[in-house]
Amino acid sequence: MTEDHAADDRARAESRADRLFALYPAAALAALVPIGAVTPLFPVELGVATFALGTLAVGMAHGAVDHLVPLRAAPGVSLRRSIAAVSVAYAVLGGAVVAAFFVAPVAAFAGFVALTWLHWGQGDVAALAVAGVEHLPTSAERWLALVVRGGLPMGVPLLSHPDEYRLVAEWVVGLFLVEPGAAAAAVEPLLVPAARLAVGGVVIAATLSSVGLGYARVRGGASRRGWLRDVGEVAVLWAWFLLAAPVFAIGVYFALWHALRHIGRLVLVDPEAVTALEGGDGRRSLARFARDAAPLTLGGFAALVGVGLAVPAGVAAPGDLLAASLVGIAALTLPHVVVTAWLDRQQGVWRPGAA
C-alpha cells in the first residue's frame, strides 16, 4: 500500500510539473502567435532585445544545474564526482567549440545549428515521455519526433524568413572573418535555395510521417489524448516559426518553451522539489531550482562576456552582441547536450519501457 501511495504521489508530481513547465507555456506561445505574426514588420533589433531578455530571464539558467544531474539521477554518485565530471566536460567540450569558431567559423556555425536541432528535439521528446504519451512506443518513432521538434525552430525560419537567417549567419561568421564581404561570401553556400528547400522538405516530410504514424498507433489502441497533444504542439510551433521573425521567435521559444521544459525535468530529479510538487507547492520547487542554478548562471554570463572580448571583430553593435552570445551559447550547448543525453539514458527516453 505504501508503494502504491508513493507511485500516486510521484504521478501527481509529474503531472504538476508537466502542466507548469510544458502545457501552460505551450498555451502561452499559442496565444502569442498573432503578435509573432507582425514582428517581421519591425527591425531585427526587436528580436535581439527579446533574445537577450529571454536568455537573461530563463535561457541561461536551464543548463546551470548540470553539475548536480549525475548526483540526483543515478545511485552512488557523490557530489564531488558529479561536479568534477560535468566541469571537465564543460571545460573540454566548450573550449573545443570556441576553438572551432576561430579555425572554421562557417563549419562551426552549421554545426551549432545541427546540434541545436538535435538538442531541442531531444528536449521535447523527453517532455512527451514525462507526460506518458503512448503513440511513440519505439525508439525509431521517438527519433522521428526529435527530427520534427528540433527541425521546427531550426529549419522552418530558414524556409520562411531566409534573409534574417542569412543576416544572423553573417553576424556570427563576421566576428571571425573581418574582411569586408568575407562573411557574406562564406555563408552563401549554406543558404542557397536548394539547401533551404531540402531542409524544408525534411521538416515537412518528418512532420507528416510522425503525425501519420502516431494516428496509426491511436487506431491500434494508444491514447488519443497524447497524440492530440503532440499534434497540437507541433501545429503551434509550425505557426510560430512560419510567421514570427526568426530572432524574435527563437528568443521567445528558448525561454518560454525549451528552457522551461528542461527545468521541469530537472525539478523531477530533485527529491525535495518533487516533495514540494507532490504537496502542490510548485513555487517552492521552482525556488529550489533557482537557488541551485544561480551561481553557474552568473558563470555562464561571464563566459559570454569572455567570448565577446576575445572575438577578432569585437562587439560594437546589437548584431555583434547577438552573434557573440550565440558563440558563447554554442560553447555551453555541446557539454549540456552530453549531460542531457546521459540523463536520457538513465531515464530510458530512447529505450521505451527500459527505464
Side-chain angles (χ1 to χ4, degrees):
M1 196 67 176
T2 301
E3 290 182 1
D4 290 340
H5 283 309
D8 290 342
D9 288 342
R10 177 70 186 190
R12 279 195 296 271
E14 290 178 349
S15 178
R16 285 171 180 146
D18 185 42
R19 288 199 306 273
L20 289 173
F21 298 104
L23 289 177
Y24 294 163
L29 189 68
L32 289 173
V33 168
I35 295 174
V38 301
T39 56
L41 303 176
F42 294 92
V44 70
E45 286 77 12
L46 172 66
V48 174
T50 303
F51 185 90
L53 180 61
T55 302
L56 283 168
V58 185
M60 191 63 70
H62 90 283
V65 186
D66 280 0
H67 62 295
L68 299 178
V69 169
L71 171 70
R72 292 173 173 172
V77 177
S78 67
L79 176 62
R80 178 179 297 181
R81 181 182 172 193
S82 182
I83 292 174
V86 174
S87 297
V88 169
Y90 267 81
V92 173
L93 297 177
V97 170
V98 174
F101 272 99
F102 276 90
V103 174
V106 176
F109 176 78
F112 177 44
V113 171
L115 182 67
T116 305
W117 186 321
L118 169 69
H119 178 53
W120 284 355
Q122 174 189 39
D124 267 23
V125 171
L128 292 172
V130 169
V133 300
E134 298 177 3
H135 66 287
L136 300 172
T138 68
S139 297
E141 286 162 302
R142 294 190 176 191
W143 276 101
L144 180 60
L146 178 149
V147 173
V148 175
R149 294 301 191 103
L152 291 172
M154 286 292 99
V156 173
L158 180 61
L159 189 65
S160 58
H161 301 283
D163 291 340
E164 189 166 314
Y165 210 107
R166 179 188 304 272
L167 181 62
V168 173
E170 290 178 6
W171 280 344
V172 173
V173 174
L175 292 176
F176 305 93
L177 301 180
V178 297
E179 297 82 3
V187 303
E188 179 62 29
L190 299 178
L191 301 166
V192 295
R196 289 173 44 221
L197 292 175
V199 170
V202 167
V203 180
I204 292 170
T207 300
L208 294 176
S209 299
S210 184
V211 169
L213 287 171
Y215 182 70
R217 291 293 185 183
V218 171
R219 292 290 300 271
S223 169
R224 182 181 298 269
R225 182 176 181 178
W227 177 76
L228 288 174
R229 171 192 174 150
D230 189 7
V231 171
E233 289 184 356
V234 167
V236 168
L237 292 174
W238 262 107
W240 181 250
F241 287 107
L242 271 175
L243 298 175
V247 178
F248 177 86
I250 291 292
V252 174
Y253 168 88
F254 183 31
L256 188 61
W257 190 290
H258 172 72
L260 285 181
R261 289 179 181 225
H262 189 72
I263 290 171
R265 186 180 184 187
L266 296 183
V267 163
L268 289 173
V269 297
D270 176 3
E272 292 190 32
V274 170
T275 300
L277 283 174
E278 290 171 352
D281 192 352
R283 183 175 298 179
R284 183 160 70 90
S285 66
L286 186 56
R288 279 187 54 81
F289 175 85
R291 181 206 66 188
D292 291 341
L296 292 189
T297 299
L298 297 176
F301 285 119
L304 298 191
V305 171
V307 169
L309 294 174
V311 294
V315 176
D320 299 332
L321 178 63
L322 175 67
S325 298
L326 290 175
V327 173
I329 289 171
L332 298 173
T333 296
L334 179 56
H336 175 59
V337 168
V338 171
V339 173
T340 304
W342 179 88
L343 180 59
D344 287 347
R345 182 176 177 83
Q346 291 295 117
Q347 297 180 336
V349 171
W350 304 102
R351 295 173 293 118

